[in-house]
Amino acid sequence: MSTNSNESHKGTTTGTLRTGTNRIGRRAGEGEKRGLDEPIIEVERLGIDFWVNGKWVSAASDIDYVVRPREVLAIVGESGSGKSVTSMALLGLLPGNSRVTGSVKLHGREVLNMPAEELHRIRGKKIEVIFQEPMTAFNPVYKIGYQIVEALRIHFVMTPTEAKARAIELLGLVEMPDPEKAFNSYPHQLSGGQRQRAMIAMSISCDPDLLIADEPTTALDVTIQAEILDLLRSLHDRLDSAVIIITHDLGVVADIADNIIVMRQGAIMERGTVDKVFNHPESDYTKQLLAAVPHLGVTDSESRAKQVGQPVLTLKDASIDYLGRGRQPTFRAVDGASFEIYPGEVVGLVGESGSGKTTIGRAIVGLLPFSEGQANLLGRELVGIKPDTLREVRREIGIVFQDPGASLNPRWPVGQSIGEPLELSGTVAKSDISKRVEELLDAVELPRQFRNRYPHELSGGQRQRIGIARSLALNPKLLIADEPTSALDVSVQARVLDLFEKLQEDMGFACLFISHDLAVVDLLADRIAVMNLGKLVEQGPTDQILRAPREEYTKRLIAAVPVPDPQEQRARRE
C-alpha cells in the first residue's frame, strides 16, 4: 500500500471520472494484482468500551467480519445497537473516552494503534465515510466546492484549476441539479438531499478502496435514493472496492447488499447472505425487524377518512418566492399550488428533494410569506397577513420537525421545551403548565420523569416523541409533520407511526404529512399531493395515486421505492 501522495497522484489523475464503464482513477492493474478474493478489511474480535461515570461500559463485543472487493456488507439494527461505533472504530474516529480491542486489518496491515500520520493518509484515500448528517459533517463557513477541493489537494498534487474541474465533475456524477452553482454554495443553501449528494461526491473524490456509508440515503427522496444506490453499486464494481452500508432501511439493504449483519446491544444476532436473512431469518429479533417494515400497497383502503365540514386549510394558486440578494434573481420555489385539508384528514405531500414540499409547510406556519394566490387557514387569509394576526393563527398550528435533536433546546430539560408553547401563548395558567406537560408525556407514551432529562440523554425515537408532544401542546387544529420519521430505524419508526396514528385519531387534528417515504405515506394519508419542481402535478385519494397514478412523474416516484424483498427488488431493478 503506497503512502506517497505524489505516486498516488500520478496514477489517479490519468483516469478521469466518468459515469460510463471507465474506471475512476484506479491505478492500472491494481485490482488484478491484489486479487478479487483478497480481503480489503478484516475485523476480528473487535470490542469497544466507553468510560462512563467511573466505569467501562461495553458498546460492542466480539465483532467479526471480512469484506472483499466488490462486496457490499449491510450492518442493520436499532439505534444504539453498535452499528456506527464499530465502523467508526476502523478509522480511529471514536472519542477520547473509548478503548478498542481486537484486530482490524486493511489489505492485511493492522490499522488499530497505527501512528496518527499514517492513519491520516488512509482516511479519505483508502477508506472514506459518508456521514448521516451532512449539515454537521460540512464546515458551515466554507463553500461546498472549497471543501471538496481541499480533500482532493490534501491527497493529490493538483492545481486549484484541476481540483475545481474534478470537484464539479464529481458533483455532476451524483446528479446535482446545477453542479457549478452547488460548488459555489454554502451547505445551508442546499436542500437536505443536495447536501447528502455533495457529501457523497466528496467521499468518492479519492477513489477509496472501502466506502463506509452511514445511513447514506436517509435524507434522500426515493428517486435520488435509487440513483445514489445505482452509483454506489457501479462505483464499487468499477473500482474493485467494497462498501459497508449502515442503514435501518431494509428496502435499501434488499437493493444493494450482498451480505447482512444484524446487530443488537453491541452483539451480532445474525449474519448471512441477503437472500438467506430476508427469506429464512433465524433470530427472533431479525423477524421482528422485518415485520416492522412498512410495505407499499398493503394498507386497508376502507379505513380512509372522509372529507367533512369546512377545510382547515385551503390553498388556491398559492405561490412562494425566495427573494434574490445582490445580483441573484428572485426564485419561485412554489408556483400555483392548490389543495385543501379537512378536519381529521391526513394529506401526504410527496416529491423529490427541492420540489417545494418543506417550503409549503414553512409558509403555512408563517416562517415564509406567500407571494401570490390565496392561502386560507381557519378562516384567516395568510397572504399579506399582519404579525399580530399571524401570532394568533400560530396557536392553532403545530409542527413536527425532521431532526428532533436540532429543534429542541439542548440547554433545557425536555419538559421545559414541551411547556414553552403553553407559556408563550398565555392560554394556560402557569400553575397548570406542569400538569399539562405530564399529560403530553403520557400521550406520547413516555415516563413522566423524562421531563427532567436533556435531549442528548434520549434516543432518536424518544426525542421525536418529545417533538410530537411539544407540537400538540396547544391542541392544534392543523399539524405540519415534516419528515418526522425519516431518521428513525424501522422498529422505532413503526412505534412512532402507531403513536402518531393513535394521537391523530384521538385528537382529530388535520395533518399535512411531508415525506419522501411513500410506504409511510400509504400507511397514514387519506389523500396525496405530488410535487415536482415547485408545481403540484397530481393529487387524489391515496389508493388512486399509489395504485393507479396518471402522471409519468408519479409513476417514476413509485417505481423508485425499494422493496424489502431481494428477489422482487432485483426484478424491479432489472
Side-chain angles (χ1 to χ4, degrees):
M1 178 180 67
S2 172
T3 57
N4 186 305
S5 60
N6 290 327
E7 179 186 339
S8 299
H9 164 66
K10 290 174 185 176
T12 302
T13 54
T14 57
T16 55
L17 192 145
R18 294 286 183 267
T19 58
T21 56
N22 295 337
R23 290 177 180 270
I24 307 178
R26 171 65 67 208
R27 289 185 288 276
E30 184 176 318
E32 289 77 6
K33 284 192 297 182
R34 194 170 62 231
L36 293 181
D37 290 331
E38 181 183 334
I40 290 180
I41 199 85
E42 299 171 88
V43 177
E44 296 181 5
R45 305 181 310 281
L46 181 67
I48 301 166
D49 303 313
F50 290 96
W51 184 256
V52 181
N53 296 328
K55 63 180 181 180
W56 288 106
V57 177
S58 175
S61 60
D62 292 324
I63 304 300
D64 293 272
Y65 60 81
V66 174
V67 187
R68 291 180 168 80
R70 297 189 181 182
E71 181 182 346
V72 179
L73 171 68
I75 304 179
V76 301
E78 293 180 289
S79 298
S81 63
K83 308 187 301 293
S84 293
V85 293
T86 54
S87 298
M88 294 305 102
L90 306 186
L91 279 174
L93 293 177
L94 296 178
N97 68 328
S98 64
R99 70 178 180 188
V100 182
T101 57
S103 172
V104 175
K105 292 180 180 177
L106 177 68
H107 297 315
R109 186 180 179 195
E110 186 61 54
V111 173
L112 296 185
N113 302 317
M114 180 179 282
E117 185 178 344
E118 293 185 48
L119 192 59
H120 179 69
R121 285 196 289 265
I122 287 175
R123 292 173 182 160
K125 184 66 184 77
K126 294 296 181 182
I127 306 178
E128 183 56 279
V129 182
I130 302 172
F131 293 100
Q132 179 177 359
E133 294 288 349
M135 193 63 184
T136 55
F138 278 119
N139 191 321
V141 302
Y142 291 114
K143 293 180 178 179
I144 293 292
Y146 175 89
Q147 298 184 61
I148 299 176
V149 165
E150 181 185 37
L152 287 166
R153 299 193 72 201
I154 283 175
H155 292 285
F156 308 122
V157 178
M158 305 178 79
T159 67
T161 302
E162 290 173 335
K164 178 180 178 179
R166 184 159 169 82
I168 292 174
E169 194 173 15
L170 285 159
L171 290 168
L173 179 65
V174 296
E175 303 291 337
M176 192 68 77
D178 188 338
E180 193 142 359
K181 181 181 178 183
F183 181 92
N184 292 304
S185 298
Y186 290 96
H188 73 271
Q189 294 176 312
L190 301 180
S191 69
Q194 290 169 344
R195 281 195 296 268
Q196 189 64 286
R197 278 176 272 175
M199 171 61 61
I200 293 172
M202 187 158 72
S203 72
I204 64 175
S205 61
C206 299
D207 312 332
D209 293 332
L210 176 65
L211 189 62
I212 300 173
D214 190 359
E215 301 282 7
T217 61
T218 293
L220 303 182
D221 53 74
V222 289
T223 52
I224 301 303
Q225 175 178 268
E227 292 167 3
I228 294 300
L229 292 177
D230 281 340
L231 170 65
L232 292 176
R233 192 181 299 109
S234 64
L235 180 72
H236 81 84
D237 280 344
R238 286 178 301 192
L239 296 181
D240 298 337
S241 63
V243 177
I244 296 176
I245 185 165
I246 303 163
T247 183
H248 62 255
D249 190 332
L250 294 179
V252 169
V253 173
D255 191 10
I256 195 173
D258 301 305
N259 297 300
I260 302 175
I261 287 175
V262 181
M263 291 190 65
R264 186 185 191 190
Q265 297 177 351
I268 294 177
M269 304 299 294
E270 187 162 358
R271 68 170 80 226
T273 65
V274 64
D275 290 309
K276 183 258 181 188
V277 172
F278 271 87
N279 297 319
H280 306 287
E282 297 175 358
S283 163
D284 289 339
Y285 177 68
T286 306
K287 295 174 184 176
Q288 292 169 14
L289 275 185
L290 292 169
V293 181
H295 291 252
L296 193 64
V298 298
T299 305
D300 180 13
S301 61
E302 297 300 319
S303 61
R304 306 293 186 189
K306 304 295 186 293
Q307 298 175 3
V308 293
Q310 294 296 314
V312 173
L313 174 74
T314 301
L315 298 187
K316 187 173 182 181
D317 298 325
S319 298
I320 305 166
D321 294 334
Y322 286 105
L323 299 179
R325 293 182 178 179
R327 296 183 179 180
Q328 291 183 332
T330 295
F331 172 68
R332 175 143 291 187
V334 175
D335 187 10
S338 300
F339 64 88
E340 304 88 24
I341 305 177
Y342 287 81
E345 183 182 41
V346 179
V347 172
L349 190 59
V350 303
E352 293 179 288
S353 184
S355 63
K357 308 186 302 293
T358 296
T359 298
I360 285 183
R362 289 170 62 85
I364 292 170
V365 297
L367 297 176
L368 291 171
F370 284 97
S371 306
E372 295 176 6
Q374 299 175 29
N376 190 286
L377 177 62
L378 298 167
R380 299 180 181 92
E381 183 55 54
L382 297 179
V383 180
I385 192 170
K386 294 181 179 179
D388 290 345
T389 309
L390 180 59
R391 277 193 291 272
E392 292 178 12
V393 174
R394 278 181 173 163
R395 294 174 184 173
E396 310 287 347
I397 314 171
I399 183 165
V400 183
F401 293 98
Q402 179 175 358
D403 184 354
S407 60
L408 296 172
N409 190 326
R411 297 185 177 185
W412 286 0
V414 295
Q416 187 174 350
S417 291
I418 294 172
E420 184 190 24
L422 299 166
E423 188 173 346
L424 292 176
S425 70
T427 56
V428 179
K430 287 190 176 182
S431 59
D432 294 332
I433 289 178
S434 179
K435 181 181 178 183
R436 176 64 177 152
V437 168
E438 291 181 349
E439 290 173 352
L440 288 163
L441 286 170
D442 291 343
V444 297
E445 300 174 1
L446 286 177
R448 292 185 175 186
Q449 59 266 32
F450 272 37
R451 62 180 300 163
N452 297 316
R453 294 193 181 185
Y454 289 86
H456 72 273
E457 297 178 308
L458 304 180
S459 69
Q462 290 168 342
R463 282 197 297 265
Q464 194 59 283
R465 287 170 184 251
I466 295 296
I468 293 173
R470 188 176 192 272
S471 70
L472 298 176
L474 295 174
N475 291 318
K477 292 184 173 62
L478 175 66
L479 185 70
I480 309 295
D482 189 4
E483 300 279 10
T485 61
S486 64
L488 305 180
D489 55 70
V490 287
S491 53
V492 175
Q493 174 181 267
R495 292 194 291 271
V496 170
L497 289 175
D498 286 343
L499 170 67
F500 189 92
E501 201 169 16
K502 177 179 178 294
L503 289 171
Q504 201 269 339
E505 186 176 331
D506 291 345
M507 302 178 70
F509 52 81
C511 178
L512 180 66
F513 196 94
I514 301 167
S515 180
H516 64 256
D517 190 331
L518 295 183
V520 169
V521 172
D522 187 19
L523 183 69
L524 293 177
D526 305 299
R527 288 187 298 117
I528 294 178
V530 183
M531 292 199 71
N532 182 29
L533 300 176
K535 292 180 178 290
L536 275 174
V537 297
E538 186 170 7
Q539 59 181 302
T542 298
D543 290 336
Q544 182 261 304
I545 295 294
L546 295 182
R547 257 65 83 184
R550 299 186 181 95
E551 296 293 326
E552 286 300 319
Y553 176 75
T554 310
K555 294 176 184 177
R556 199 163 76 245
L557 272 184
I558 295 169
V561 178
V563 178
D565 182 303
Q567 287 82 10
E568 184 179 346
Q569 183 59 29
R570 200 173 297 127
R572 284 162 58 96
R573 187 168 66 239
E574 291 172 357

